[in-house]
Amino acid sequence: MDENILNPNPIGKIIEEEEEFHHLNNPVLGLKPIVKKYLGSVTDVKEAGNKFFFTDSEARVEVTVVTDEIIRVRLAPHGVFLEEFSYAVPKHDQKAVVFSLHQDENEYRVSTNTVNCHIRKIDFHISFSDTQDHVTSQDSVPMHWEENTQFGGYYVFGTKVCHHDEAFYGLGDKASDLNLRGRRFKNWNTDAYSFGWNQDPLYRSIPFYISLNEGIAHGIFFDNTFKATFDFGAEDRTKTSFWADGGELQYYYIHGPHMMDVVKRYHLLTGTHPMPPLWALGYHQCRWSYYPETKVMSVAKGFRTNQIPCDGIYLDIDYMDGYRCFTWNRKYFPDPKKMIKELAADGFKTVVIIDPGIRVDDNYSVFKEGKEKRYFCRRCDDYFMEGHVWPGRCQFPDFTNPEVREWWGGLFDELVQLGVAGVWNDMNEPAVFGAGTFPDDVRHQYDGFRGSHRKAHNVYGMQMVRATYEGLRKLMKNKRPFTITRAGYSGLQRYASVWTGDNVASWEHLRLGNIQCQRLSMSGVPFCGTDIGGFSGEPDGELFTRWIQFGAFSPFMRAHSAGDTKEREPWSFGEPYTAINRKFIELRYRLLPYMYSTFWEHHRYGFPILRPVVLQEQDVLTNQARQDEFTYGDKILVCPVMEPGQTSRPVYLPKGQWYNFWTNEIAQGGGEIMVPTPLETIPVFIKAGAVLPEYPIMQYVGEKEIEEVKLNVYYADHEVNSFLFEDYGETFAYEQDIYLEKKFIVNGKNNLVTIEQTMEGLYTPRYENYHFRLIGLPFAPTKIIVDGKTITDFVLTEDKCYEFKFSKNFKHIEILK
Ligand code: MIG
């Protein structure tokens, strides 16, 4: 043990932070314009609690120990830091960690139990290493800045060494290969209708990336909301740079070594998605637009007559009166309350769209109130920010003002009274016809840290859906609202799900959507999906079916299409497509308890929902380039079919044993296998040892009382854990520990398989029994003993599985040869 740990302040002078460091919303500028300036040599260091302030005599660098594995770095060109405020990171409650400062001739070193942050004296290079002195990240040039004469402040730059085989992941929804290496990206939320491969920027800004080098991962979260650029060895193969047009150079170094750890720690900073209502994991049907009421009702009826499960039906902009938010077109929807009630009686939740543009119209109460209370955004000279969107001339609420968010949240009162269960926020990049978005000079309140649109642009959509979510949460009392947003910034996952925006009905877009969902999932945006079928253009039956198959394993599953396309319901293409679409939507409903448990793993522990294979086997170099297959949770591996006419395709299975979900054949992982891909299936594999919980097929969540839960137990010759999360599925009781977290431990030998169950939590499900289904047993059982009781009425099914029932409260099962 290092002796300095006992005396954590051996070098720096300890100071009271408040006394010496001024924190401003605006940086103080020096007199001379600065062209490009780099940090010089380190001349001094001071300490204040978990912060260390280094200086080159003018600029200051703050190094904050956030946790054992997370260190934040900030730069103040003239020594004055901006006041602490972040929409992404609510507040780090710094856990007591042990840290210390050391120095030698060459460097200062801030160390926790797992990470060292090195500050090289001669040139201010900052690097990070682990306890084995393995350097995981290092500056290639010192942090630097350049004065922004037009707007004030600085362009701020960080540049790291980029290694020969280093791969990069993350950044949210970028429409490029999963590995971002060799490319440059911009973060500036953009309405990117019919975006193409490699088009950038897109709808969201997630300034977080994961680096993987020689099998060791770390993350960088550049928490800066200004227009930002990331360059992963594009300009110079040996450098990874990130910079922004303003604000502070502020980033979090997130230690690995596993990519999964990096993702989980990123969630520690930015939060996770709240538990969605269970129905939101079902199938959703959307279109621009279903109207009038008779059309909505006939689509709903179509699902029930075709016996295709569906939980959500969407109203796009045409339900409103002249596109005025919070109003109804009474010609199309004479009695919305009655319609929503009828839909609900048939098991449909109604989700309505709400855009940010508020029509300039003194006879419109939302506009009138917003105007009176000065809630709309203004330009630099105090003119209102006006622009055209669907309602015509509009003004836009400043969602960065907490008072405006509160007001906005309250506006949902009537919709909630009418029975609306979810809200869809669109156009919140914000999008403006013609201009694209707001001009830079629009002012924002920014929770008291005033700024222009340059600073607020990337968070505008996130703050809109935050206002929506928080408002709904209040109005719906203890019910979980469902929200979905198009735009967002890091941390948006605390308020909403996302879809990838206006994609195209093409095979390329199916491929792109697969990558985007995997990428969003590993970038902290777990509840994501694509417009199944493609928003613009016409899919044929085959493409639509392949998309439904992929969609069944997307965290969020919704079909959507533009208004000028042909009907696009799961039965629109006739047979054999309808039957296959039905089969996959049914599969989604059968897997609901598994998907819900995976969501809990995300919510509670910060795991991503979709996991690219590189995230599971980062030490296998070839996995860096794999972007077709992924797992949903850790038990189901999926490889969508993304080419027309494909009758078989290679699938990589991570090491271990996998069961073909359709045939129960066992396959050895650690390499590629060829898998047949007739239209009726896509490759789906279940990890050996998994306990896969299954619900009976329902037409919608809550259609039937669940009488028993099927547990599919896949034999493995070693110990494997599985989880099952259960609760009411629609309230916040889980926040009061009213839930059950069950753990199954399966272990097999040649003559014995054991299954154990442990439970934690306070919830009691209403069903009594599990229906066990044993798959892949290497022997014919003679006896099954559950908690000391011998069972004889187990049966051998046609497909060679053994089935029996027993109480959900079992503790220990032995299956004997
Ligand atoms: O300018 O509300 O991405 O899903 O159907 C288009 C109409 C506005 C864009 C969304 C799309 C939605 C459409 N909206």
Side-chain angles (χ1 to χ4, degrees):
M1 258 269 134
D2 203 314
E3 70 214 13
N4 276 329
I5 284 169
L6 300 172
N7 171 12
N9 304 302
I11 304 163
K13 282 160 256 155
I14 303 169
I15 45 132
E16 282 295 319
E17 197 188 329
E18 298 307 315
E19 280 170 23
E20 176 134 345
F21 294 96
H22 303 287
H23 294 275
L24 294 182
N25 187 31
N26 298 304
V28 180
L29 293 188
L31 290 177
K32 296 162 271 159
I34 292 162
V35 180
K36 202 162 221 175
K37 191 154 181 204
Y38 294 77
L39 285 167
S41 307
V42 188
T43 56
D44 192 26
V45 57
K46 290 200 169 89
E47 299 188 42
N50 61 334
K51 295 182 172 171
F52 299 85
F53 296 90
F54 299 89
T55 182
D56 65 357
S57 293
E58 190 185 1
R60 272 201 171 102
V61 171
E62 178 199 84
V63 171
T64 305
V65 175
V66 181
T67 70
D68 266 333
E69 296 89 6
I70 303 174
I71 294 198
R72 188 181 71 176
V73 176
R74 292 210 286 168
L75 165 72
H78 286 281
V80 182
F81 292 93
L82 300 189
E83 197 163 329
E84 290 260 0
F85 178 73
S86 166
Y87 282 121
V89 183
K91 194 98 211 119
H92 13 95
D93 44 31
Q94 203 250 328
K95 307 245 163 49
V97 292
V98 179
F99 50 84
S100 56
L101 175 69
H102 306 255
Q103 71 165 313
D104 61 25
E105 227 180 295
N106 300 321
E107 64 170 27
Y108 290 100
R109 194 167 84 242
V110 176
S111 301
T112 72
N113 283 332
T114 37
V115 185
N116 307 298
C117 173
H118 309 259
I119 299 93
R120 198 153 80 188
K121 288 181 176 175
I122 181 135
D123 55 8
F124 233 121
H125 276 208
I126 295 183
S127 60
F128 298 88
S129 67
D130 62 18
T131 46
Q132 270 89 59
D133 292 325
H134 177 86
V135 177
T136 49
S137 159
Q138 69 192 107
D139 280 347
S140 167
V141 295
M143 292 192 280
H144 47 293
W145 61 93
E146 189 176 332
E147 188 170 350
N148 185 333
T149 43
Q150 192 78 33
F151 291 95
Y154 303 94
Y155 298 96
V156 290
F157 305 84
T159 301
K160 308 269 169 203
V161 171
C162 179
H163 296 278
H164 190 261
D165 286 328
E166 197 169 352
F168 298 92
Y169 301 92
L171 285 200
D173 60 357
K174 302 303 184 191
S176 299
D177 287 322
L178 197 63
N179 180 354
L180 305 169
R181 173 74 195 234
R183 301 204 61 85
R184 177 182 280 197
F185 299 94
K186 253 194 186 31
N187 278 350
W188 185 252
N189 293 357
T190 303
D191 175 4
Y193 172 79
S194 292
F195 56 91
W197 189 270
N198 282 335
Q199 185 174 324
D200 185 60
L202 297 182
Y203 301 90
R204 282 154 283 269
S205 296
I206 310 290
F208 161 58
Y209 72 81
I210 306 168
S211 140
L212 177 60
N213 185 40
E214 292 175 355
I216 294 178
H218 76 270
I220 297 286
F221 172 38
F222 178 32
D223 188 9
N224 179 312
T225 62
F226 284 77
K227 185 181 282 172
T229 309
F230 288 81
D231 185 301
F232 300 105
E235 186 179 305
D236 176 340
R237 280 187 299 113
T238 65
K239 292 188 176 105
T240 299
S241 299
F242 47 91
W243 64 92
D245 285 9
E248 217 166 28
L249 183 54
Q250 164 181 224
Y251 69 86
Y252 294 83
Y253 165 82
I254 305 175
H255 198 59
H258 297 293
M259 291 173 78
M260 190 67 101
D261 296 332
V262 177
V263 176
K264 284 165 73 178
R265 287 168 189 152
Y266 169 77
H267 278 300
L268 204 70
L269 290 171
T270 61
T272 60
H273 200 294
M275 284 306 283
L278 184 56
W279 66 264
L281 294 183
Y283 176 76
H284 301 226
Q285 183 67 36
C286 189
R287 181 160 169 86
W288 179 18
S289 288
Y290 288 133
Y291 72 92
E293 177 179 320
T294 46
K295 177 72 197 175
V296 179
M297 297 314 283
S298 82
V299 171
K301 200 161 158 263
F303 278 93
R304 301 305 178 235
T305 50
N306 283 291
Q307 289 284 290
I308 296 177
C310 181
D311 263 277
I313 196 149
Y314 285 60
L315 301 180
D316 204 327
I317 50 178
D318 298 285
Y319 80 91
M320 298 183 258
D321 173 17
Y323 307 124
R324 289 171 189 81
C325 292
F326 308 104
T327 67
W328 288 82
N329 180 322
R330 295 284 168 173
K331 206 172 104 218
Y332 298 151
F333 297 96
D335 191 348
K337 185 160 194 165
K338 186 166 149 267
M339 177 188 76
I340 294 171
K341 206 170 156 194
E342 277 171 34
L343 285 168
D346 208 6
F348 291 94
K349 305 286 194 280
T350 305
V351 180
V352 299
I353 198 167
I354 288 285
D355 288 353
I358 299 299
R359 187 184 162 89
V360 175
D361 172 358
D362 281 317
N363 296 316
Y364 167 37
S365 67
V366 178
F367 177 72
K368 260 183 11 206
E369 202 185 342
K371 182 177 162 185
E372 267 160 38
K373 297 191 167 151
R374 307 173 70 84
Y375 285 164
F376 297 118
C377 294
R378 288 170 184 252
R379 306 288 299 274
C380 59
D381 294 324
D382 231 23
Y383 298 112
F384 282 105
M385 163 58 215
E386 293 198 343
H388 276 263
V389 248
W390 292 107
R393 199 149 185 85
C394 283
Q395 294 188 10
F396 302 83
D398 182 8
F399 296 108
T400 69
N401 181 341
E403 200 183 317
V404 175
R405 288 199 297 270
E406 184 77 30
W407 167 69
W408 182 262
L411 294 174
F412 291 92
D413 190 24
E414 200 189 311
L415 289 172
V416 171
Q417 303 279 337
L418 294 175
V420 162
V423 174
W424 169 23
N425 282 164
D426 186 20
M427 305 287 280
N428 53 352
E429 291 70 31
V432 178
F433 293 161
T437 188
F438 294 1
D440 281 345
D441 73 323
V442 170
R443 289 140 44 189
H444 295 270
Q445 201 262 3
Y446 215 94
D447 279 70
F449 299 87
R450 296 188 315 270
S452 74
H453 197 61
R454 295 179 345 111
K455 180 163 85 172
H457 176 81
N458 284 338
V459 296
Y460 186 84
M462 170 202 197
Q463 293 310 303
M464 176 187 183
V465 77
R466 171 187 181 183
T468 301
Y469 179 78
E470 288 173 347
L472 290 174
R473 194 169 163 169
K474 262 188 220 150
L475 294 166
M476 292 180 165
K477 308 282 173 339
N478 196 29
K479 264 209 172 149
R480 298 175 204 167
F482 169 74
T483 41
I484 177 162
T485 181
R486 196 168 69 176
Y489 180 74
S490 286
L492 80 92
Q493 72 275 10
R494 300 195 300 273
Y495 315 113
S497 62
V498 304
W499 86 104
T500 55
D502 295 336
N503 60 358
V504 182
S506 68
W507 291 94
E508 181 177 67
H509 261 270
L510 174 54
R511 184 171 286 279
L512 210 47
N514 179 12
I515 296 172
Q516 285 183 297
C517 287
Q518 294 183 57
R519 194 196 317 288
L520 281 162
S521 224
M522 71 201 294
S523 311
V525 188
F527 200 12
C528 54
T530 58
D531 282 353
I532 292 174
F535 179 69
S536 60
E538 300 287 355
D540 59 11
E542 182 188 8
L543 175 59
F544 186 78
T545 289
R546 290 306 196 188
W547 215 314
I548 283 275
Q549 293 172 333
F550 161 62
F553 295 96
S554 296
F556 173 65
M557 185 184 193
R558 182 184 77 165
H560 184 38
S561 49
D564 57 358
T565 60
K566 288 188 219 138
E567 309 260 286
R568 193 88 71 75
E569 287 82 42
W571 58 85
S572 301
F573 300 91
E575 297 299 349
Y577 306 107
T578 305
I580 303 171
N581 298 340
R582 180 187 301 113
K583 183 175 95 176
F584 272 82
I585 297 173
E586 285 176 350
L587 176 59
R588 172 102 183 172
Y589 280 75
R590 286 164 57 195
L591 293 174
L592 273 181
Y594 173 77
M595 293 183 163
Y596 194 55
S597 302
T598 303
F599 213 112
W600 173 252
E601 260 192 289
H602 163 74
H603 168 72
R604 179 76 176 74
Y605 304 104
F607 285 94
I609 292 179
L610 297 191
R611 306 173 190 179
V613 288
V614 67
L615 194 88
Q616 306 170 47
E617 287 184 342
Q618 64 186 43
D619 49 316
V620 179
L621 197 64
T622 46
N623 283 350
Q624 290 189 359
R626 292 193 189 279
Q627 53 191 20
D628 289 358
E629 51 275 271
F630 57 84
T631 61
Y632 192 113
D634 64 344
K635 300 294 192 290
I636 305 184
L637 183 122
V638 180
C639 187
V641 173
M642 297 171 293
E643 272 174 37
Q646 195 164 47
T647 53
S648 68
R649 66 153 297 158
V651 176
Y652 174 79
L653 298 174
K655 288 180 203 105
Q657 290 186 318
W658 297 85
Y659 288 85
N660 184 319
F661 178 74
W662 310 106
T663 63
N664 288 338
E665 272 164 338
I666 198 150
Q668 198 58 45
E672 284 186 358
I673 58 169
M674 277 308 273
V675 183
T677 55
L679 191 61
E680 296 74 37
T681 68
I682 53 168
V684 177
F685 289 84
I686 311 296
K687 191 163 202 165
V691 174
L692 203 63
E694 184 180 327
Y695 276 172
I697 292 167
M698 294 178 283
Q699 296 308 303
Y700 56 91
V701 168
E703 185 200 18
K704 311 181 197 162
E705 179 81 36
I706 304 286
E707 278 165 5
E708 60 183 24
V709 170
K710 192 184 249 187
L711 294 183
N712 298 286
V713 182
Y714 291 85
Y715 173 85
D717 61 2
H718 53 277
E719 190 176 297
V720 177
N721 294 343
S722 301
F723 295 89
L724 173 58
F725 174 81
E726 296 177 309
D727 75 350
Y728 290 111
E730 56 175 10
T731 72
F732 284 96
Y734 69 89
E735 292 182 345
Q736 264 70 53
D737 294 343
I738 318 282
Y739 61 80
L740 264 193
E741 200 185 283
K742 299 171 169 173
K743 182 162 128 187
F744 303 108
I745 308 171
V746 172
N747 201 349
K749 297 193 186 72
N750 278 338
N751 53 4
L752 171 71
V753 179
T754 57
I755 310 169
E756 272 165 65
Q757 176 180 240
T758 56
M759 301 186 211
E760 240 174 72
L762 303 170
Y763 173 76
T764 313
R766 294 182 48 188
Y767 65 88
E768 285 307 321
N769 287 329
Y770 290 138
H771 175 149
F772 292 90
R773 179 174 152 82
L774 308 172
I775 299 145
L777 276 193
F779 56 83
T782 54
K783 236 205 295 196
I784 296 179
I785 306 173
V786 188
D787 294 339
K789 209 174 151 257
T790 302
I791 302 193
T792 47
D793 57 347
F794 55 88
V795 295
L796 176 62
T797 62
E798 257 172 46
D799 56 352
K800 299 197 188 70
C801 297
Y802 291 90
E803 297 196 358
F804 64 97
K805 295 184 184 187
F806 201 82
S807 158
K808 66 181 179 197
N809 296 319
F810 89 91
K811 291 206 170 62
H812 183 85
I813 300 180
E814 289 182 359
I815 299 150
L816 299 137
K817 187 170 175 176

